[in-house]
Amino acid sequence: MTALALSAAAITIQPAFAQETEVQVPETVFQQRSEDVISVLRGEMPAADVFAAGFLAAVPAEQLTALMTQMEAQFGPLAGLEEAKEQSGTSGIIALRFEKALVRGPLTLDSTPDNKVIGLLLNDIQPLNDSVAAITADIEALPGDVSVLYAPLEGGSNPILSVDPDRQMAIGSTFKLYILAALARQVAAGERSWADVVTLDRKSLPSGQMQNWPEGSPVTLHTLATMMISISDNTATDILLHTVGRDAVEAELVQSGHSDPARALPFLSTLETFGLKGSPENLAKYVGAGEDGKRRILADFEDDVVGRPDRISPPRFTEPTAIDTVEWFASGEDLRKLMQRIADLPDPTARKIISVNQAMPKTRREEWQYVGYKGGSEPGVLNLTWLLQDDADKWYILAMSWNNPAAEVTATDFEMLAQRILPLRR
């Protein structure tokens, strides 16, 4: 369940605009606007003097200021513009030099005489003089609980970076990998086919799109799995959980070597989680029950709700809600074991599905033969998990979890840490 959409692992500040008709402008304009961007980020120029009104409607000046604060917290003071490489009259690549990183990305200007900025995507971070010790210190300084494991996939190998990898953490929508693995196991056993068609006969709340699809729509298991992983579709997730079977998914969790199944079971659907968190009375009953009692509560929920979101009171999700009791839990080591099972599948379909949304900028993707990703979030919960394969066919995992029951966690801060961690393999 992704109550809040999990962004890609990049610093993205580019709203959608209609395509502009490009015209050639003097060579110095792109360079000047690049310098102006630096001035805005430093607070030396008003954002409205540099950025188009449409851009600022989507990304207000306050958000630019907040982004600058986050970048300097991670990478030290902004030294200035490292490079402005023009590719056309109105577009190119800029590089910002911070004390501990170069941050690059495309800059696009409009074709009006003002040549204001209509697009800025700072998505390529090259750490400078970074280290495991420095990154570990920054991870440990985050409020709440944090667990990070960056390591070869096979057990027993020394990790590249490890911070409390055995701690059970709420992982949000990353739990959907267990459903995918259980489905892949059934396909491998000949019990199901990726091409099997089921009916869209139950729905959940967003994230996703399929809650808006016509009820009764025929849809393949492959489509459901792809929607579940690539856009974290909750309706697709609940249909698959119902189709594959809660018992089969729980068996996959146990057989994968999960270190604390009692913490993770019963394995909740997204609608069950929404329903519990939206009802303080039902939440209290559920948290206070043993496993058998919890299963009876879920059976009653199914009888009453039958996959109908309009029959529950949805949570407001304005603050962390029961993230230490009603969630999906796994440690970094648990996720490593799960990813090992997915990497070992003879049929590559599950890995292809995980690779649809790679949540990684192009320059980072090019460093790997394969990139797969699933993340999850709700207020107070954030998980980023990558399955990676290098050019020597060696598999790696980067699993990052951050929980804070007292306050929201900041996706951009965690994503920038991921950008610093990934190059450590070299």
Side-chain angles (χ1 to χ4, degrees), residues 28 199 223 362 425:
T28 57
T199 301
T223 296
K362 183 174 183 291
R425 175 181 61 96

Side-chain angles (χ1 to χ4, degrees), residues 2 52 72 92 147 172 176 187 233 285 302 312 371-372 380 386 425:
T2 308
E72 290 200 317
S147 173
K176 295 168 184 177
V187 171
D233 193 291
K285 289 180 181 178
E302 174 64 19
I312 72 165
V371 176
W386 283 271
R425 175 181 61 96

